[in-house]
Amino acid sequence: TAVASYRMQGLLVLLLGASAAADPFVMLMKSISREQGVYAESIDVQLRVFNKGDSPAYAVSLEDGDWPASHFELVKGPKERVIAELEQNSSFTHTCALPESRPCARASRTFWGGRPAHAVSPRGRPPPAPPRSFTVRPTFAGVHTLSAATLTYSATAKGATLSYASNVPPALPIISRAEKYLNVALAIGRVLSLNFVRTLRGWVSVAAFWSSVFGLIALYKLNVKRQDWKYERAVKEMEKMK
């Protein structure tokens, strides 16, 4: 599928980056938990940063500007994340939930190295990363074309800023809740019909067929009643003539 394809591309980039020189080699992967969104329902967005180089990266900044106000309402939380230092052979994961119908996942880091932007504990170990999430609510139903998230960092503490763009996930279709329930009903219908009827058009045809059958049965019963009524009327007239 398209989702598996862009994930494989991201993994390929990571493998190619493993042979980087003594400089930091920072990469960003973006993934969406669903292939199809539903109006006002939660979607998980994950941004994962890798430093596959042999030296730390400094002032690592993540930003995902993929949720414009014209299509999504920002409910809470920032859409950016800053990591003061990401050491070599380490990674950082930032997970966001859209919107707040489900709790946001906690940002997590693989502690092979890498210090977060907040204070370091007296023992020298970085404390667990605090929750970082943003919540948006779709205000439309349609197809939202996704773009790459951006990452900037410096190879030295006061060096020049370098930039990197993530992979681009496939376009995200967003359906209404009515469409969602219709899809659920169609799925149940496929099971009940032993996969004989698969689409809404198929169920319309089935409904039209059975409506015609019941209509013909009703007409037949009405015709029988009319014949009985005529027979009873004729019997009554014959009795009057006697």
Side-chain angles (χ1 to χ4, degrees), residues 5-242:
S5 176
Y6 86 81
R7 286 179 178 171
M8 288 298 295
Q9 291 175 5
L11 291 175
L12 181 59
V13 171
L14 295 180
L15 293 176
L16 292 175
S19 60
D23 294 331
F25 193 96
V26 182
M27 293 160 291
L28 178 63
M29 284 187 63
K30 176 178 178 178
S31 60
I32 311 296
S33 63
R34 295 187 181 186
E35 296 183 18
Q36 183 181 72
V38 180
Y39 178 85
E41 290 194 6
S42 176
I43 303 171
D44 292 331
V45 180
Q46 185 179 84
L47 302 177
R48 191 172 186 188
V49 187
F50 297 85
N51 182 3
K52 305 299 279 187
D54 294 328
S55 63
Y58 300 91
V60 180
S61 176
L62 311 179
E63 182 177 1
D64 187 8
D66 223 350
W67 317 103
S70 59
H71 292 80
F72 296 88
E73 176 189 358
L74 181 61
V75 178
K76 67 177 183 179
K79 294 186 289 184
E80 301 84 19
R81 175 74 196 212
V82 177
I83 311 167
E85 181 180 341
L86 186 64
E87 295 184 4
Q88 61 270 27
N89 295 319
S90 63
S91 67
F92 179 87
T93 302
H94 179 38
T95 304
C96 311
L98 323 173
E100 60 179 351
S101 57
R102 291 204 311 242
C104 293
R106 181 179 295 271
S108 63
R109 179 200 298 272
T110 302
F111 287 119
W112 306 327
R115 293 193 295 274
H118 54 279
V120 178
S121 64
R123 297 182 180 179
R125 292 186 178 181
R132 289 291 186 271
S133 63
F134 65 90
T135 300
V136 299
R137 179 177 292 114
T139 57
F140 82 112
V143 178
H144 178 55
T145 302
L146 297 172
S147 60
T150 58
L151 176 151
T152 60
Y153 69 97
S154 298
T156 60
K158 297 182 179 180
T161 300
L162 306 174
S163 61
Y164 185 87
S166 73
N167 56 308
V168 180
L172 178 67
I174 300 175
I175 62 175
S176 65
R177 288 185 172 177
E179 290 177 287
K180 173 189 173 181
Y181 297 140
L182 175 61
N183 292 339
V184 172
L186 290 175
I188 296 173
R190 284 194 292 269
V191 174
L192 295 178
S193 67
L194 300 179
N195 209 31
F196 180 74
V197 184
R198 304 179 183 180
T199 62
L200 178 60
R201 186 173 182 179
W203 281 109
V204 170
S205 300
V206 170
F209 170 77
W210 285 109
S211 296
S212 301
V213 170
F214 288 126
L216 291 174
I217 293 174
L219 288 174
Y220 172 77
K221 289 183 177 181
L222 179 61
N223 186 52
V224 170
K225 287 184 178 181
R226 291 181 62 186
Q227 294 295 332
D228 292 342
W229 178 76
K230 288 181 179 180
Y231 175 77
E232 291 176 357
R233 184 177 179 182
V235 170
K236 289 181 180 180
E237 290 179 354
M238 290 179 63
E239 289 178 350
K240 289 180 181 180
M241 293 175 60
K242 290 181 179 180

